[in-house]
Amino acid sequence: MALADALRVLVIGAGGREHALATKLAQSPRVSHIFVAPGNGGTTFDKVRSVDISGDNFPALVRFAVENDVDLVVPGPEQPLVDGVEQHFRKVGIPVFGPSAKAARMEGSKSFAKDFLKRHGIPTAAHKAFQASEYQQALDYVRSCGHRVVLKASGLAAGKGVLVPETLAETEEGLKQIMVDNVFGSAGETIVVEEFLEGPELSVLAFSDGYTVVPLPAAQDHKRIGDGDVGTNTGGMGAYAPAPIATPEVTKAITEKCLLPTIVGMRKEGYPFVGLLFTGFILTTEGPKVLEYNVRFGDPETEALLLLLDEESDLAEIFLACVERRLDAIAIKTRNEFAVSVVLASAGYPGSYAKGVPITIGQIAAGVSIFHAGTAVQDGRLVTAGGRVLVIAAAAPTIEDALARAYAAVDQIEFEGKTYRKDIAHRALAEKRSAQGSLTYASAGVSVDNGNALVEAIKPYIRTTKRPGADGTIGGFGGAFDLKAAGYKDPVLVSGTDGVGTKLMVAAAVGKHDTIGIDLVAMSVNDLIVQGAEPLFFLDYYGCSKLDVPTAAQVVKGVAEGCRISGCALVGGETAEMPGMYKDDDYDVAGFAVGAVERNEILPLPTICAGDVLIGLESAGVHSNGFSLIRKIFQRSGYTYASSLPWAANRTFGDEFLEPTRIYVKQLLPAVRRGLVKGMAHITGGGFTENIPRVLPDGLGCFVDGSAWPYPPVFSFLMKHGNVAPAEMARTFNNGIGMVLVVAKEDVEAATKALQDAGEARVFTIGGVVAGKGVEMRAMESWV
C-alpha cells in the first residue's frame, strides 16, 4: 500500500521502551498520530494517546488499525512478534516494523537460534539442547562436559530465562528448577546448556530491511538487581552507550562476522529479517561471539540509544525504509555523545511487588527524559503498576555528565519502595580510570605471553629440520650454521629472500594457513638451487597487528615442513606484533634462505650455447605468483573458494589455489652435482618470457614449445574466465612448468633420467637455446 504523507502509527506495548519509541516518533514531522496499545500512565501526550487494547488481542488491534487508518505498526515486545502479529497486519495491507513469525524464531527458540549460528559458522558458544523429558541426560552432560555452563530456557521468559550457576551443585539445582519444577513454564520445555564464556558483554541493536544492516552504537546493560552486579537477574536495571570496549575494530568484527552473515543467512533460508535485530555478544579472547538474538528493541537499552539518534535521522523514516526494503538509501547518524538509562523499580522486583503506590515527580532538568514503564493513572493520580516503574534517561558529551543528569532526576522522583542501581556504567568508568592509569606493553596491544606461547608451540616443528651444521633449536638471539660440519671445502654463500604476496588473502578467505609456510620456503630455496647452491638454513618473519597463536603456529609448521622437504635447517625468525599496522586479522610473511655451493660449481655455467636443450619440470599448480590477477579473475568467474573444481569434483578451488609451491631442491641436486646442468630458471612472476632470459648469456635467446607438456586445467580456467591472451599467460604464470633447465644436447638423456630418479615432478623437453634475444613462445594455440 502507498503510505500517507501524514503517518498514523500504532505502537504495541506498555513499557518504557514503547514510551521512548512513541516519544521519538512524535518528533518526526512526517507523523501526525501515534497510538500506543495498551500504553501506560505516560503514553498520552501531544500526538500520542493510549488505546485500551491488549497487545495480544490481534483481531482487535487489526480492527482498530483499519478503522483509524493506521499506516505503520511497531510492535515493542517480543511475544506478539513470535506469535505472528506481522502476518495479521500484512493480510490487511498494513506494514509492520518487525519480523515475521518465522524470523522471530531467532528469539522465540534459543535452540533454533543456536542451530542457525552453527549452520552459518557465526561465532558462538558450544551448546547442547535437551527436552524437559531428558532431565537425566542433561544431568549426565553437565557432570561430564568438563566446563562451566549457562542454562537457558529455549522459549520466551521475559528476559529472565537464563541461569548462570557457578558450581556443579548450582548447575544441577538449576536443571531441576527448569526441567522438573518448571519455573519458566512452557519456555523451559526445551533447555539449552551452553558453554560459559568469559569476557565483557555487549548489546548491539541494528536496523535491517532483510538486505542491509545498520547497527547503532553498542550498549551495555545491567541485568542484576543489585549494585556490583549481584542478586537476581532482571529484565534490565539500566544501560549506557556507546560502550568504550566497542572499539572500531570490535564493531567491524561484529558487523562483518556476525550481523551481516545473520541477515544473509536468514534471507537465504527464506525468512528475511525486517525490523530491529538486537544481538547480545560476549567479547572473548577469540573475538566477539553471539550469546543470543532478540528480534525487537531492547529495554532499557532503547531509552538510552534513541537519545543518541541525530536530529537529521528521523525514526519514522528509518522504519519506513526498512519495511520498504530501501535501508541502503538513507543515512542513519548518531550524536557524538554518551547516553544512560536508570530504571526505578518497585520494592520486591523481580519477585512480587505492590501496585498502586503513588508517585511524585519533582523538577526535572532540561535534557532529561522520563519514560514510563509500569505506571497507571488512578483517580487522576500517577501510581505504580509494574515491577519496573520508570526509566530515567539522559545524554551528554561525557559519560560522567550523562550520569549526573540522570541521577539528579532520580532524586526528584519519589514513591515508596523506590529501588534502583547507583552504579550504572560502572564498567565504562572503570575502563576510563584504567586507561588513564599506568601503561604496559600489553595495554598497547602487544602480548609478550602470546609470543612466548608461539615459540613453545613451534619448537617441535623446528626440531624436525635438524641437519649437519645446525642443531634445530630456536629461542636465542641468532642462528648459527657450521659449514665445515656440512662438508664444504671452498664454499661460496648464496642468499635469497622472498614472500608469498596476495596468496595470503586466499589463505585468509579459506581459513587454511598450514601450506603458506611451504610456499615461503619454496620461493627462496628454489632461487638458491638455480645457482647450484644447496639450501643450508632458513629464517622467517611473521608480522601482524594482533598475534593469533594458532594461525601463526600453522604458518611456521608449514615453514618447518618446507625446510624438511628442501633439506635446510630452520634456525630462527622474527614475530612482530604491531597494533594498527595491519588490517584486522591480516598478516604478512617473508623468508630468508642461505645456501652454499663449491666455488667451481656455481651456475649458470659460461658454456651455455646455441643448440642446448631446455628441460622443464612440472609445477604443482599456480604456485605463489600472479595472485593479484588470479583473485580478480576468480571474482569475475562467479565461483567461490568452496566450489568444487569443474575438472576434479573431489577438490575445491581453495584446495587448488593453496596447493603449495613445489620445492625442486632434492630432485635437482643429483643432476647438478654430476655436472649435467648448465643453468636453471625458476619460473615465478614474469613467467617464461621474463625468467628464462635471466640465465642466458648476451646474444642468446630460446624458444619454448607450448605443446610439449599437458596444459593444466587451472590455467585454462584462468585464461577463459579472465579472457587472458596466451602471450599474457606466458609472461605471468608458470603454465605447468615450475623450473626450466639448460642442458647440453648430449646430456639430455642422462639428465632426464637423473631427474626422474630423484623426484616426483614429471620431466619434459620443452625447447632449446638459439642465437638471438628473448623467448619465442611456440604452439600456444594448444593452450586454448
Side-chain angles (χ1 to χ4, degrees):
M1 64 179 287
L3 296 178
D5 290 333
L7 289 174
R8 300 166 68 88
V9 182
L10 171 62
V11 176
I12 300 174
R17 164 185 49 215
E18 289 73 39
H19 188 183
L21 288 167
T23 301
K24 194 66 179 177
L25 287 167
Q27 296 171 7
S28 170
R30 182 84 186 270
V31 174
S32 63
H33 294 78
I34 300 167
F35 308 102
V36 186
N40 57 41
T43 53
T44 296
F45 61 95
D46 297 335
K47 304 176 183 178
V48 183
R49 73 176 176 92
S50 299
V51 178
D52 189 17
I53 302 175
S54 172
D56 60 3
N57 189 345
F58 297 167
L61 288 170
V62 171
R63 186 164 54 251
F64 174 86
V66 172
E67 292 173 353
N68 288 273
D69 297 322
V70 166
D71 302 296
L72 177 68
V73 177
V74 182
E78 63 275 15
Q79 193 69 59
L81 291 165
V82 172
D83 291 344
V85 70
E86 183 271 342
Q87 184 179 13
H88 282 76
F89 284 98
R90 179 161 29 100
K91 286 181 177 178
V92 295
I94 301 175
V96 174
F97 177 78
S100 65
K102 283 187 175 181
R105 289 177 298 176
M106 299 294 272
E107 180 170 4
S109 170
K110 290 184 174 62
S111 61
F112 175 85
K114 293 294 287 189
D115 290 342
F116 174 91
L117 288 161
K118 185 176 180 180
R119 281 196 304 277
H120 293 277
I122 299 170
T124 190
H127 77 286
K128 192 170 179 63
F130 298 91
Q131 301 301 312
S133 60
E134 298 176 306
Y135 173 59
Q136 187 58 51
Q137 292 95 315
L139 274 177
D140 293 342
Y141 176 75
V142 300
R143 290 168 177 168
S144 62
C145 67
H147 55 73
R148 187 178 167 192
V149 299
V150 176
L151 308 178
K152 295 184 175 182
S154 181
L156 296 180
K160 303 168 192 172
V162 178
L163 300 180
V164 189
E166 296 187 2
T167 65
L168 179 58
E170 290 181 6
T171 303
E172 294 176 350
E173 175 60 24
L175 286 175
K176 180 176 178 295
Q177 289 177 12
I178 299 174
M179 305 181 78
V180 178
D181 299 340
N182 202 28
V183 294
F184 295 129
S186 60
E189 290 177 358
T190 300
I191 182 173
V192 174
V193 181
E194 188 173 277
E195 171 194 11
F196 177 81
L197 297 175
E198 295 277 2
E201 295 185 21
L202 280 177
S203 299
V204 177
L205 280 65
F207 297 106
S208 179
D209 62 357
Y211 296 87
T212 302
V213 62
V214 180
L216 291 169
Q220 284 190 305
D221 70 347
H222 300 69
K223 284 293 187 187
R224 303 279 186 167
I225 187 67
D227 290 350
D229 295 321
V230 299
T232 312
N233 259 357
T234 70
M237 293 300 293
Y240 63 95
I245 59 170
T247 63
E249 293 78 15
V250 167
T251 302
K252 188 172 189 295
I254 283 173
T255 302
E256 294 183 354
K257 296 181 180 180
C258 302
L259 298 183
L260 280 171
T262 297
I263 297 303
V264 171
M266 294 180 73
R267 187 174 69 250
K268 286 184 176 179
E269 292 193 5
Y271 42 93
F273 187 91
V274 176
L276 193 289
L277 182 67
F278 164 19
T279 310
F281 291 94
I282 187 162
L283 304 187
T284 72
T285 55
E286 297 174 343
K289 292 189 176 183
V290 173
L291 289 176
E292 64 179 2
Y293 291 114
N294 301 283
V295 297
R296 37 69 194 182
F297 280 96
D299 191 351
E301 293 90 348
T302 299
E303 290 89 326
L305 283 168
L306 290 183
L307 298 184
L308 294 179
L309 267 185
D310 189 89
E311 291 180 0
E312 295 180 12
S313 295
D314 186 317
L315 188 62
E317 296 289 358
I318 295 171
F319 288 173
L320 291 178
C322 289
V323 301
E324 293 171 356
R325 311 299 197 271
R326 54 176 179 82
L327 184 58
D328 60 346
I330 66 167
I332 299 177
K333 299 178 181 179
T334 54
R335 295 156 57 188
N336 187 25
E337 292 191 343
F338 290 86
V340 301
S341 61
V342 180
V343 171
L344 305 186
S346 298
Y349 175 78
S352 59
Y353 48 82
K355 296 182 181 181
V357 178
I359 304 169
T360 59
I361 300 177
Q363 189 68 33
I364 303 298
V368 178
S369 297
I370 310 296
F371 297 119
H372 292 237
T375 68
V377 177
Q378 291 181 356
D379 300 324
R381 190 170 188 183
L382 188 66
V383 297
T384 65
R388 291 189 293 177
V389 178
L390 296 167
V391 182
I392 318 305
T398 68
I399 189 75
E400 292 89 350
D401 287 347
L403 287 166
R405 293 181 184 183
Y407 280 114
V410 167
D411 292 339
Q412 295 295 313
I413 299 172
E414 295 297 334
F415 59 89
E416 186 178 346
K418 180 178 73 173
T419 301
Y420 64 97
R421 283 187 58 163
K422 303 172 181 64
D423 65 343
I424 299 301
H426 67 85
R427 302 184 197 95
L429 296 175
E431 180 116 352
K432 191 170 183 179
R433 287 192 293 270
S434 174
Q436 292 170 343
S438 61
L439 296 177
T440 65
Y441 210 15
S443 70
V446 179
S447 173
V448 175
D449 291 338
N450 278 353
N452 292 334
L454 176 60
V455 170
E456 293 305 313
I458 64 179
K459 278 183 176 179
Y461 308 141
I462 309 302
R463 285 193 288 271
T464 66
T465 72
K466 183 178 180 180
R467 57 154 291 161
D471 59 9
T473 62
I474 61 167
F477 290 99
F481 192 93
D482 185 348
L483 280 169
K484 186 175 181 181
Y488 285 91
K489 299 179 178 64
D490 183 23
V492 172
L493 293 180
V494 180
S495 63
T497 185
D498 213 330
V500 181
T502 57
K503 188 172 185 176
L504 290 173
M505 299 179 75
V506 179
V510 176
K512 178 177 170 60
H513 305 275
D514 56 347
T515 59
I516 288 296
I518 300 175
D519 287 304
L520 187 64
V521 175
M523 296 303 291
S524 291
V525 299
N526 284 343
D527 285 349
L528 299 187
I529 189 63
V530 299
Q531 297 172 83
E534 174 195 14
L536 301 178
F537 62 87
F538 188 87
L539 299 99
D540 63 62
Y541 170 86
Y542 184 98
C544 59
S545 281
K546 184 172 178 59
L547 179 59
D548 181 71
V549 173
T551 298
Q554 286 299 298
V555 172
V556 178
K557 178 183 179 182
V559 171
E561 176 63 12
C563 288
R564 188 192 63 77
I565 294 170
S566 60
C568 67
L570 180 53
V571 298
E574 165 70 4
T575 301
E577 187 175 23
M578 301 172 286
M581 180 65 73
Y582 296 92
K583 180 181 177 183
D584 301 328
D585 296 328
D586 289 352
Y587 63 89
D588 197 10
V589 290
F592 182 83
V594 174
V597 58
E598 296 293 355
R599 192 176 304 272
N600 62 343
E601 296 176 356
I602 296 175
L603 297 179
L605 299 178
T607 58
I608 294 176
C609 61
D612 288 339
V613 176
L614 300 185
I615 291 178
L617 295 186
E618 180 183 38
S619 70
V622 292
H623 286 183
S624 298
N625 295 101
F627 270 88
S628 294
L629 179 56
I630 289 172
R631 289 186 302 106
K632 193 166 186 177
I633 294 171
F634 192 62
Q635 186 178 28
R636 178 187 293 183
S637 73
Y639 287 91
T640 70
Y641 292 123
S643 300
S644 296
L645 296 174
W647 59 91
N650 62 333
R651 280 168 55 84
T652 67
F653 279 100
D655 297 330
E656 180 71 28
F657 291 146
L658 291 178
E659 184 70 31
T661 304
R662 175 163 274 144
I663 295 175
Y664 295 100
V665 174
K666 291 185 177 179
Q667 185 166 8
L668 290 170
L669 272 175
V672 170
R673 287 173 172 167
R674 287 174 56 188
L676 296 173
V677 179
K678 291 186 175 185
M680 289 181 280
H682 183 199
I683 308 303
T684 58
F688 298 114
T689 56
E690 300 296 328
N691 285 293
I692 300 177
R694 295 165 64 182
V695 75
L696 300 177
D698 289 343
L700 292 179
C702 68
F703 69 89
V704 173
D705 180 359
S707 65
W709 68 93
Y711 197 63
V714 65
F715 295 106
S716 298
F717 173 89
L718 294 171
M719 191 186 309
K720 173 185 175 182
H721 287 276
N723 194 26
V724 184
E728 183 65 20
M729 295 292 293
R731 69 189 299 269
T732 305
F733 301 114
N734 67 59
N735 296 286
I737 298 295
M739 186 70 70
V740 173
L741 286 62
V742 181
V743 177
K745 189 172 183 179
E746 61 272 18
D747 292 330
V748 169
E749 185 176 345
T752 299
K753 186 176 187 310
L755 293 167
Q756 290 171 336
D757 290 345
E760 63 179 16
R762 291 186 293 175
V763 183
F764 304 96
T765 299
I766 66 168
V769 178
V770 296
K773 185 179 180 181
V775 178
E776 178 192 356
M777 296 299 302
R778 301 177 181 175
M780 286 191 294
E781 64 273 9
S782 65
W783 295 357
V784 178

